[in-house]
Amino acid sequence: MKILVTGGTGFIGSHTVVELQQKGFEVVIADNLSNSSLDVLDKITKITGIRPIFSKTDLSIQDETRTFFSKFPDIHAVIHFAAYKAVGESVDLPLKYYRNNLVSLMNILQCIKEHAIPYLVFSSSCTVYGQPDSLPVDESAPIKKALSPYGNTKQIAEEIITDFCEVTKMKAVLLRYFNPIGAHESSLIGELPIGIPSNLIPFITQTAIGKREFLNVWGNDYDTPDGTAIRDYIHVVDIAKAHVTTLERLLNESSNKKTEVFNLGTGVGYSVLQVIQSFEKMSGVKLDYRIKPRRPGDVEKVWADTQLANQVLGWKAEKDLDEMTLSAWNWEKHLKSLGTL
Ligand code: WQD
């Protein structure tokens, strides 16, 4: 059964392709390689022994998207990752984000309709919750005004998909990721930030490997036990497996709802200092970090209520924080062995 994975050479996309192939699905990747590289295909092939079909496609261009779908008329479901995702950059370049993330989605939905593709899994985010009023945050929590154009594209995308499902035969599942981190156990695929990382884990591993002088800890005056902000970090392989479980749920027609939403988190929140402590323990490397003022736009604390995903979707995160930080460190060491800049 052929599954389209847009953004399939990216961080979460590549890990999901591996899990799909290992479950026997045939994968087609459409990616414009704007935030990933083609050699990820070789790495996926090395892990699974199966080379995914790949098409370099800019999904924000309608003709390119149409041409792609006409080349692959037998796609049975779409898992849509392809989007720009740098929160800070989205503040500086809102139109780049609104155009790419929303026009791409609409082009894909138009083709889904023309080809009568029945299922869509969408990569959404806990950023739609902003700073929740109560924790843990569940899927019925109010959507807060987005703190960035990036977060807003996720909110608007959810609404577009929901409205689209109402008037077509397509069924969709929106997966709200918390903080995906870590890397595949092979250390062949992982997070590959271009330039200076904005996310915590790549900055930690690049500091430990010597690519960065020290880590800035953005704020220790939050209302949390150690003053640093709390997030629900979740292993990228757990996220990937949730996509396979979700796809199987759709294929099995397990629900009569047109659209469903699930949080993908562990249900446990860790502070920045706790993540640093886990990393130092697992890597044996002492990290040079310095406390700095808060980063604008950051929420103070957020972690998931995972009951819906656990009980209805039938998925539960398996890996703990130490496995996450160790896998991220092994990946960084692998990059160094390749001489990757
Ligand atoms: C985590 C914590 C920072 C860097 C991410 C994605 C976003 C969404 C949710 C997918 C915060 C602190 C960070 C650093 C630090 N995922 N930090 N020093 O902001 O929660 O958002 O997950 O949609 O797209 O960006 O993740 O890793 O940037 O920050 O102290 O150098 O680490 O202040 O408290 P965030 P993050």
Side-chain angles (χ1 to χ4, degrees):
M1 193 174 286
K2 199 168 279 176
I3 309 298
L4 166 58
V5 178
T6 74
T9 54
F11 175 40
I12 301 169
S14 57
H15 286 82
T16 301
V17 169
V18 165
E19 297 303 324
L20 285 168
Q21 289 187 325
Q22 290 178 335
K23 275 286 188 116
F25 291 101
E26 185 183 3
V27 174
V28 180
I29 295 174
D31 200 304
N32 66 1
L33 299 177
S34 66
N35 192 25
S36 59
S37 58
L38 208 48
D39 71 350
V40 170
L41 293 180
D42 301 329
K43 306 295 178 57
I44 292 171
T45 308
K46 202 167 178 184
I47 294 169
T48 65
I50 308 161
R51 188 170 188 82
I53 303 166
F54 175 81
S55 170
K56 187 174 185 297
T57 308
D58 184 341
L59 295 160
S60 70
I61 300 169
Q62 189 171 46
D63 289 349
E64 262 191 62
T65 308
R66 273 230 166 88
T67 303
F68 169 84
F69 276 87
S70 58
K71 268 170 54 183
F72 300 99
D74 52 350
I75 286 168
H76 204 77
V78 178
I79 303 180
H80 179 40
F81 292 104
Y84 294 148
K85 62 147 203 168
V87 173
E89 185 189 42
S90 77
V91 174
D92 299 332
L93 301 170
L95 287 186
K96 173 180 176 182
Y97 274 67
Y98 285 117
R99 181 174 296 111
N100 183 68
N101 292 6
L102 298 179
V103 172
S104 297
L105 172 67
M106 289 184 278
N107 288 342
I108 289 164
L109 291 177
Q110 183 61 38
C111 290
I112 281 177
K113 186 177 179 184
E114 288 165 5
H115 291 263
I117 297 171
Y119 307 119
L120 171 71
V121 181
F122 177 67
S123 164
S124 190
S125 166
C126 66
T127 46
V128 303
Y129 298 120
Q131 178 57 62
D133 300 325
S134 65
L135 291 167
V137 61
D138 67 31
E139 291 82 351
S140 66
I143 302 299
K144 293 277 185 77
K145 175 160 175 35
L147 295 171
S148 69
Y150 160 78
N152 205 21
T153 65
K154 290 299 182 184
Q155 288 182 11
I156 297 167
E158 288 195 0
E159 291 171 355
I160 291 172
I161 293 166
T162 303
D163 291 346
F164 182 82
C165 288
E166 279 307 309
V167 293
T168 65
K169 290 187 169 52
M170 188 186 85
K171 294 170 89 170
V173 176
L174 313 174
L175 296 177
R176 293 176 179 165
Y177 311 156
F178 281 69
N179 285 55
I181 65 170
H184 189 264
E185 61 188 8
S186 65
S187 292
L188 291 172
I189 52 176
E191 194 168 3
L192 204 56
I194 294 172
I196 299 173
S198 63
N199 290 136
L200 178 62
I201 294 303
F203 211 110
I204 285 178
T205 58
Q206 289 189 12
T207 302
I209 205 99
K211 283 172 78 167
R212 309 285 163 207
E213 197 192 343
F214 58 85
L215 167 76
N216 297 299
V217 172
W218 303 126
N220 71 341
D221 59 348
Y222 285 106
D223 179 18
T224 61
D226 63 22
T228 61
I230 293 173
R231 295 288 185 279
D232 184 333
Y233 298 94
I234 176 165
H235 199 291
V236 63
V237 171
D238 279 328
I239 292 272
K241 289 181 175 174
H243 286 74
V244 180
T245 307
T246 298
L247 178 64
E248 289 168 336
R249 176 178 175 78
L250 284 165
L251 295 173
N252 297 335
E253 288 284 345
S254 307
S255 162
N256 54 13
K257 291 182 183 165
K258 289 177 173 286
T259 309
E260 290 186 290
V261 184
F262 295 105
N263 284 341
L264 294 188
T266 65
V268 179
Y270 287 107
S271 73
V272 176
L273 290 181
Q274 286 176 306
V275 172
I276 291 171
Q277 284 148 19
S278 165
F279 177 80
E280 290 182 331
K281 176 176 69 172
M282 301 312 291
S283 66
V285 176
K286 187 91 182 73
L287 207 62
D288 179 4
Y289 64 87
R290 304 179 193 175
I291 305 292
K292 295 289 176 62
R294 297 181 180 187
R295 180 173 69 175
D298 273 349
V299 297
E300 178 175 72
K301 48 195 171 192
V302 60
W303 59 90
D305 180 321
T306 62
Q307 288 178 72
L308 212 54
N310 300 158
Q311 291 162 14
V312 174
L313 183 55
W315 164 89
K316 185 170 172 47
E318 297 164 0
K319 297 174 183 294
D320 63 23
L321 183 64
D322 289 346
E323 290 174 274
M324 297 181 216
T325 55
L326 180 59
S327 66
W329 179 231
N330 290 337
W331 163 244
E332 189 67 56
K333 289 190 287 184
H334 171 75
L335 288 177
K336 183 172 185 179
S337 72
L338 301 176
T340 306
L341 289 176

